[in-house]
Amino acid sequence: DQQVKQNSPSLSVQEGRISILNCDYTNSMFDYFLWYKKYPAEGPTFLISISSIKDKNEDGRFTVFLNKSAKHLSLHIVPSQPGDSAVYFCAASATGGTSYGKLTFGQGTILTVHP
Amino acid sequence: DTGVSQDPRHKITKRGQNVTFRCDPISEHNRLYWYRQTLGQGPEFLTYFQNEAQLEKSRLLSDRFSAERPKGSFSTLEIQRTEQGDSAMYLCASSSRGAANNSPLHFGNGTRLTVT
């Protein structure tokens, strides 16, 4: 049962253009969402997060949008840079009860930004 | 803040052998997590510690797996009688519980296990 899904295994974008990575979730208890970036041979690095009380959060070139009714979130990177090339993971957490901050991850999307 | 440290970075072992990995979380982080990642998949939760107490274990954690965090600081993950299916990247993460129960996890660079 894949509770967090990233349906696009890969995405290729030209430098300077917008990258849009998508993520869907099924568990209605999830109320905290994060994006992580991962380079080969390194652990995932936290990028940006959003709480379910918001529908948008911005941090520099990175913006995360949350559509709770559709159980969908997206990460926008503008402008994209070659250094953004990495695997991007969407993750979700149910912050109430006994979740202990445990994250459930999607399968990842490989982003390639071409110069 | 020196980050989450994991040792070793790589481990190659023969099937049937026991292996142990170590994780040093960010100092003063009271929450520690172990995850496993296989090729083409996202990290999967294995177990969670709050201080020295192991509060949750995934059903992925078979009886051959055991984790400890004896003094609430570093943690070890042991796999007994390794199988080829145990080959994966084992990731450790830590976080600090703030006023709100949402805080990003900070991951180490993982231990890559290969069972031959």
Side-chain angles (χ1 to χ4, degrees):
Chain A
D1 175 25
Q2 192 77 28
Q3 297 186 65
V4 178
K5 294 182 181 179
Q6 295 175 254
N7 291 317
S8 298
S10 63
L11 175 68
S12 184
V13 171
Q14 205 68 29
E15 181 179 8
R17 306 296 289 268
I18 185 171
S19 296
I20 300 177
L21 298 104
N22 294 301
C23 177
D24 297 292
Y25 63 96
T26 57
N27 188 338
S28 57
M29 299 300 293
F30 288 151
D31 58 358
Y32 180 54
F33 305 90
L34 308 89
W35 285 93
Y36 281 81
K37 178 169 74 173
K38 186 180 184 302
Y39 293 118
E42 294 184 11
T45 301
F46 169 69
L47 263 180
I48 191 169
S49 63
I50 187 167
S51 166
S52 60
I53 61 173
K54 294 184 173 183
D55 54 17
K56 176 182 173 181
N57 189 28
E58 247 179 297
D59 184 1
R61 297 186 297 115
F62 302 91
T63 303
V64 56
F65 295 91
L66 175 62
N67 182 333
K68 289 186 291 293
S69 60
K71 293 190 174 67
H72 177 84
L73 63 155
S74 61
L75 175 68
H76 293 209
I77 306 174
V78 183
S80 302
Q81 299 173 354
D84 295 330
S85 298
V87 181
Y88 287 78
F89 291 100
C90 168
S93 172
T95 60
T98 58
S99 71
Y100 306 123
K102 177 179 71 179
L103 298 182
T104 300
F105 284 84
Q107 310 96 307
T109 297
I110 301 170
L111 173 65
T112 304
V113 180
H114 298 282
Chain B
D1 180 356
T2 57
V4 177
S5 176
Q6 291 188 247
D7 183 70
R9 289 296 308 275
H10 303 274
K11 179 71 177 178
I12 300 173
T13 191
K14 292 185 177 179
R15 188 177 55 189
Q17 297 296 304
N18 299 344
V19 294
T20 300
F21 311 140
R22 177 181 170 121
C23 171
D24 288 272
I26 293 171
S27 59
E28 299 178 359
H29 274 191
N30 59 340
R31 294 182 161 188
L32 187 146
Y33 308 78
W34 285 98
Y35 281 77
R36 180 172 70 186
Q37 185 178 14
T38 53
L39 198 62
Q41 300 297 318
E44 296 175 293
F45 171 77
L46 292 179
T47 191
Y48 161 73
F49 288 87
Q50 183 158 311
N51 300 312
E52 66 276 7
Q54 187 175 21
L55 296 184
E56 187 174 349
K57 294 197 298 186
S58 163
R59 62 180 183 274
L60 292 175
L61 215 64
S62 76
D63 291 346
R64 296 184 297 106
F65 288 71
S66 63
E68 293 183 343
R69 194 182 183 196
K71 297 182 180 178
S73 56
F74 73 93
S75 175
T76 58
L77 177 68
E78 180 183 17
I79 309 174
Q80 295 182 329
R81 306 181 303 281
T82 52
E83 301 173 356
Q84 287 187 324
D86 297 332
S87 296
M89 174 74 82
Y90 289 85
L91 293 162
C92 177
S94 70
S95 74
S96 175
R97 179 174 180 174
N101 194 17
N102 53 2
S103 181
L105 303 190
H106 300 271
F107 283 86
N109 285 331
T111 294
R112 179 163 294 286
L113 174 65
T114 303
V115 182
T116 62

